[in-house]
Amino acid sequence: MDREITIQQKRRRLLMRLAKVSGASILLIIALLIVRAKITPGVAESTLRLATVDRGDVVASVTAGGKVVPMFEEIINSPISSRILEVYKRAGDQVEVGTPLLLLDLHAAEAEYQRAQDEAQMRQARLSQLRVNQQTSLSNMEMEIRVARMKMNRLQAELRAEQHLDSIGSSTRDNVERKRMEYNVARLQLQQQEHQLANTRRIQQAEMRAQLLDVAMQGKTMAENKRTLEDAQIRSPRKATLTYIQTQVGAQVGQGQQVAVIADMNHFKINAEIAADYAEQLMIGGKTYIKIASSICTGTISSITPQAQNGVVQFTIELNNQPKKMKLRPGLVADVFVVTSTRPATLRLPNGNFYRGAGDYILYVKESKNRLVARQVKLGVGNFDFVEVKSGLQKGETVVTSDMGQYKNNVLKIKRQ
């Protein structure tokens, strides 16, 4: 006959069953966690660029392209058609004011200058001869006028004497009229000579002005020839660095052809251009940031072209504080950021490949040591350093700033190697 199971035995059996069920549940949960860990996508920690949200100023800017150029650059052209006889300097040499750069064949220029000198001397001699001739002519005419005036005075005296004799009956009316006729003729002849003298003076003055102008023009021509001859002795007009020189001895150079270039290689500026749509953001004196490689300096807009060409506006920037580590040289490409406004004491995030302008973004936020969670974030203005955070993030949170566009999951596991 079966024995009755005691209460202790029933309790023991119940506890054993519960233990088995609990163990199975625990094993099931562990298995689920393991499976979940296996299927949760991950990203290598070494590929992540992380940044922390903080609070500070964000300078809004628009981006432009630029190129480093010397503060000044001067092209030296040949003033004459000639050929190169000697070259004294090479590109890269430092030159002082008046340093000879190269020698041109000056025989033709010297001959032209000598001809100009001879022509100037000849015209000066003609001017002197004209002065003598005019003075002689005027002197003769003035002498003739004095003689004519003396003759007229004599005839006038004779007329008065004849009139007196006629009044006392010692002469006749015919004699008086004859003397009056002689006197009037002499007076008219004197007036004609005086008018002729005045006209001659005016004509001579006009001739003298024309001759003086001709001499002055020849003097200018001679001065130009002299200056051309001096310029043909190719020299540096200022202290600078020689960046280019025509080095082929015997080469023919035409008038106005470039033979050398000098530049200030210690001071630089930026020639920049920006899309015409952003032209209204430019202003003389406006602040800019210039980024070349990893170095950054500030600059000020000094000039703006008045018209857009091919959809871009060109402007020039003078550098304010060039870092010593920023080794500038002509031709370096620069990223230019034109400051448009400043957001003071705002939440901000270091800029990265993710930023494409103000708007809504899905960014991954680091919620734990091994876990990234996607979050919708609204970003505002930005520059090369920081981006304004309008909503979706808090100060102190860590955010992935590298490009995560390939990931579509809301949760990512950080894989450590």
Side-chain angles (χ1 to χ4, degrees):
M1 192 172 75
D2 294 334
R3 288 186 305 169
E4 184 178 356
I5 300 174
T6 64
I7 295 175
Q8 290 78 3
Q9 291 176 333
K10 291 181 179 180
R11 185 176 299 167
R12 189 180 298 111
R13 290 178 180 177
L14 179 60
L15 291 175
M16 291 178 64
R17 285 198 296 271
L18 290 173
K20 291 180 179 179
V21 172
S22 298
S25 299
I26 292 172
L27 291 175
L28 180 60
I29 292 173
I30 292 173
L32 290 174
L33 291 175
I34 293 173
V35 171
R36 182 178 178 182
K38 292 291 185 181
I39 64 175
T40 299
V43 57
E45 185 179 25
S46 61
T47 64
L48 297 178
R49 184 180 295 110
L50 302 176
T52 302
V53 180
D54 66 355
R55 188 173 292 276
D57 296 343
V58 176
V59 178
S61 62
V62 292
T63 304
K67 182 178 291 186
V68 178
V69 297
M71 182 61 72
F72 84 85
E73 186 175 60
E74 184 171 347
I75 297 174
I76 301 175
N77 298 321
S78 173
I80 60 174
S81 296
S82 183
R83 65 189 183 92
I84 299 174
L85 297 181
E86 295 182 41
V87 178
Y88 303 126
K89 296 293 181 180
R90 292 289 184 268
D93 289 348
Q94 300 293 318
V95 293
E96 301 291 334
V97 177
T99 300
L101 304 180
L102 52 81
L103 176 65
L104 299 179
D105 185 353
L106 304 181
H107 288 93
E110 289 172 345
E112 183 65 27
Y113 177 61
Q114 186 61 50
R115 282 194 296 271
Q117 280 187 315
D118 295 341
E119 183 67 23
Q121 291 176 359
M122 183 175 64
R123 296 190 183 190
Q124 190 67 43
R126 289 175 182 171
L127 177 62
S128 299
Q129 183 179 9
L130 178 63
R131 284 197 178 100
V132 172
N133 292 338
Q134 288 184 349
Q135 187 62 40
T136 301
S137 176
L138 290 176
S139 297
N140 291 337
M141 294 183 70
E142 289 171 351
M143 181 61 69
E144 290 175 356
I145 288 174
R146 283 201 299 271
V147 171
R149 183 174 289 110
M150 291 172 62
K151 179 180 178 181
M152 183 192 72
N153 292 336
R154 179 177 59 80
L155 291 174
Q156 185 181 28
E158 291 178 356
L159 173 61
R160 289 174 180 172
E162 199 66 37
Q163 288 174 337
H164 177 68
L165 292 175
D166 181 54
S167 64
I168 61 176
S170 298
S171 182
T172 62
R173 175 60 61 180
D174 292 338
N175 290 336
V176 172
E177 292 300 325
R178 180 172 56 78
K179 291 296 182 180
R180 180 179 287 112
M181 180 66 67
E182 291 176 354
Y183 166 72
N184 289 334
V185 170
R187 182 171 56 82
L188 290 175
Q189 288 176 343
L190 177 60
Q191 290 177 352
Q192 182 182 15
Q193 288 176 318
E194 289 175 342
H195 289 153
Q196 185 177 359
L197 176 62
N199 291 336
T200 301
R201 280 199 177 101
R202 285 193 290 271
I203 292 172
Q204 288 183 353
Q205 289 173 356
E207 290 178 348
M208 182 60 67
R209 285 196 297 270
Q211 190 66 29
L212 288 172
L213 181 60
D214 187 49
V215 171
M217 291 176 60
Q218 182 59 32
K220 291 180 180 179
T221 300
M222 185 177 68
E224 290 175 359
N225 289 341
K226 182 179 180 180
R227 186 168 55 252
T228 299
L229 183 61
E230 292 174 349
D231 291 344
Q233 301 171 14
I234 307 298
R235 301 175 182 272
S236 174
R238 64 181 72 196
K239 182 179 180 179
T241 300
L242 185 63
T243 58
Y244 166 80
I245 188 169
Q246 170 63 265
T247 58
Q248 184 62 50
V249 175
Q252 294 289 332
V253 292
Q255 183 178 7
Q257 181 177 337
Q258 175 180 304
V259 293
V261 179
I262 59 172
D264 181 358
M265 302 301 288
N266 296 318
H267 302 87
F268 298 91
K269 61 184 179 181
I270 305 295
N271 284 345
E273 58 182 27
I274 194 170
D277 296 339
Y278 298 104
E280 294 181 355
Q281 306 288 347
L282 301 177
M283 59 183 296
I284 300 296
K287 185 177 181 180
T288 62
Y289 289 90
I290 298 94
K291 185 177 182 182
I292 299 175
S294 59
S295 299
I296 298 175
C297 68
T298 61
T300 303
I301 298 176
S302 59
S303 65
I304 305 171
T305 56
Q307 294 182 343
Q309 294 182 351
N310 300 323
V312 298
V313 173
Q314 297 179 339
F315 58 102
T316 303
I317 301 170
E318 293 186 1
L319 303 181
N320 295 334
N321 57 338
Q322 178 185 333
K324 292 182 179 180
K325 66 178 181 179
M326 182 180 281
K327 303 298 183 182
L328 297 183
R329 63 179 184 274
L332 282 179
V333 176
D335 294 322
V336 177
F337 303 90
V338 180
V339 175
T340 58
S341 63
T342 301
R343 303 286 196 272
T346 185
L347 284 177
R348 64 184 186 179
L349 186 66
N351 203 340
N353 295 335
F354 66 92
Y355 186 67
R356 298 291 184 273
D360 295 325
Y361 289 80
I362 300 296
L363 299 181
Y364 283 91
V365 181
K366 187 177 181 182
E367 288 195 346
S368 65
K369 186 176 180 180
N370 299 315
R371 178 183 172 88
L372 298 175
V373 178
R375 189 184 301 177
Q376 185 168 349
V377 177
K378 188 175 184 63
L379 302 179
V381 297
N383 58 25
F384 57 91
D385 277 335
F386 295 100
V387 176
E388 177 189 20
V389 178
K390 289 193 169 183
S391 63
L393 294 174
Q394 300 296 323
K395 182 179 178 180
E397 289 188 310
T398 301
V399 182
V400 178
T401 59
S402 50
D403 189 2
M404 300 291 284
Q406 58 181 315
Y407 299 100
K408 305 301 180 183
N409 304 75
N410 289 332
V411 179
L412 293 176
K413 179 182 178 181
I414 300 176
K415 296 179 180 180
R416 290 182 169 80
Q417 296 179 348

